[in-house]
Amino acid sequence: SGQHRVPRGAARLLAPVGDPQKVICVGLNYHDHCQEQAAKVPREPLIFSKFPSAIAGPFDDIVHPQDTSELDWEVELAAVIGKRGRHIEESVALEHVLGFTVANDVSARDWQMRRNGRQWLLGKTFDTFCPLGPAIVTREAVPDVHNLWIRCSVNGQRMQDSNTQRLIFGVPALVAWVSRFVTLVPGDVLLTGTPAGVGVFRKPPVFLKPGDEVQCEIEELGAICNRVV
C-alpha cells in the first residue's frame, strides 16, 4: 500500500538469511582467480563450508580477529536454496534456487593456508566472516545470472572487477554436484566462488586492517558495505 514504509536511514538491514542449516562454499571457481595464483582449473567443484554463525548483515562490521594478521576479502555471488532436493539433475537445478544475493567470503589466510593442517574451515568461519545481502533477488528477476559484473572495493579502491561469465562451474552444476552428497533444504546458502583480485595474491600482498571499508557489489543484486573493526 505504501502507507507503512520505514525510511531506509532509520532501519538496520539484517542478513536476508540469518540462520541457514548450511553455508556451502566453492573454491577456485573463476578462471581469472585460478590464473592469478597459477593454479590448475579444477575438474570437479572444490567444496568447503562456513558455520552459520559467520553470517553478518549487509552493513554490519567485520570483526578483525586478534588471531590473524592476514585478513582478506572475496566478493561472491550467493545462491539461496528454495526447494528441498537430493540428487538433483543439473537440467532442473535452478528450480531449486529461490534467488541470489551478495556475499563476502572473508578469509584469514594464515589459518586457511598454513595453520590447522591447511584445512580451510577455521580460516573461513570466524564470526562476521560472511556478510550477506542486501536482499534476496528472486531467480526470475535476474535476466542471466551467468552474465553479471561482480566487484569489490577497499576504501574506494577497486580490487576485484570481473563477470560471472568467468565462473568455471555455473549455479546449476554446483547445485547438482552438492546435492549428490547432502540434501539441500530451503534457506541453505551456496557461495559460488570469487574472481581475481584478492589481497593474498597481490604483489606485495594486501590485507585488511581495522578502519578499512569493504564494498562488494554485483550487477542486478546490489551492494553490501562493511567496516573492519
Side-chain angles (χ1 to χ4, degrees):
S1 68
Q3 298 178 10
H4 305 283
R5 297 187 178 185
V6 176
R8 179 67 174 269
R12 176 192 169 207
L13 285 183
L14 303 179
V17 181
D19 189 24
Q21 186 183 102
K22 295 184 283 297
V23 180
I24 304 159
C25 308
V26 186
L28 293 175
N29 198 33
Y30 276 78
H31 288 282
D32 53 2
H33 186 47
C34 291
Q35 291 167 1
E36 74 173 342
Q37 55 187 295
K40 292 182 179 179
V41 173
R43 294 184 178 180
E44 299 172 335
L46 176 60
I47 304 298
F48 62 99
S49 67
K50 290 177 178 279
F51 293 131
S53 54
I55 290 178
F59 306 105
D60 289 348
D61 292 337
I62 297 168
V63 178
H64 192 306
Q66 295 181 350
D67 294 301
T68 183
S69 59
E70 299 182 359
L71 193 66
D72 206 348
W73 58 85
E74 292 191 5
V75 61
E76 305 210 6
L77 167 75
V80 180
I81 299 300
K83 178 182 176 183
R84 184 184 183 95
R86 179 84 195 277
H87 298 298
I88 300 167
E89 294 292 334
E90 187 173 335
S91 60
V92 298
L94 279 180
E95 297 176 13
H96 290 260
V97 175
L98 169 67
F100 304 97
T101 193
V102 182
N104 185 354
D105 177 16
V106 182
S107 306
R109 299 299 189 187
D110 39 6
W111 283 94
Q112 177 192 358
M113 296 179 169
R114 297 191 302 278
R115 305 193 57 181
N116 193 42
R118 297 184 180 179
Q119 297 184 59
W120 289 13
L121 177 64
L122 288 185
K124 294 284 191 174
T125 202
F126 284 90
D127 288 355
T128 73
F129 271 26
C130 190
L132 204 63
I136 298 172
V137 179
T138 58
R139 182 185 75 245
E140 296 82 2
V142 180
D144 182 1
V145 74
H146 299 111
N147 186 17
L148 303 173
W149 53 254
I150 176 170
R151 298 170 179 161
C152 177
S153 298
V154 178
N155 300 327
Q157 180 180 351
R158 185 70 49 79
M159 296 296 191
Q160 294 180 275
D161 192 347
S162 190
N163 192 289
T164 57
Q165 288 179 333
R166 297 177 184 172
L167 281 164
I168 296 167
F169 302 101
V171 175
L174 293 174
V175 170
W177 176 261
V178 173
S179 76
R180 290 173 56 176
F181 305 93
V182 296
T183 300
L184 294 174
V185 300
D188 283 350
V189 179
L190 173 62
L191 276 61
T192 60
T194 199
V198 297
V200 69
F201 297 122
R202 292 179 172 269
K203 294 179 174 46
V206 178
F207 296 114
L208 296 170
K209 58 187 183 301
D212 287 343
E213 188 173 84
V214 185
Q215 178 166 303
C216 296
E217 186 174 8
I218 301 178
E219 184 180 3
E220 303 287 347
L221 305 185
I224 62 177
C225 190
N226 307 91
R227 185 171 179 267
V228 181
V229 299

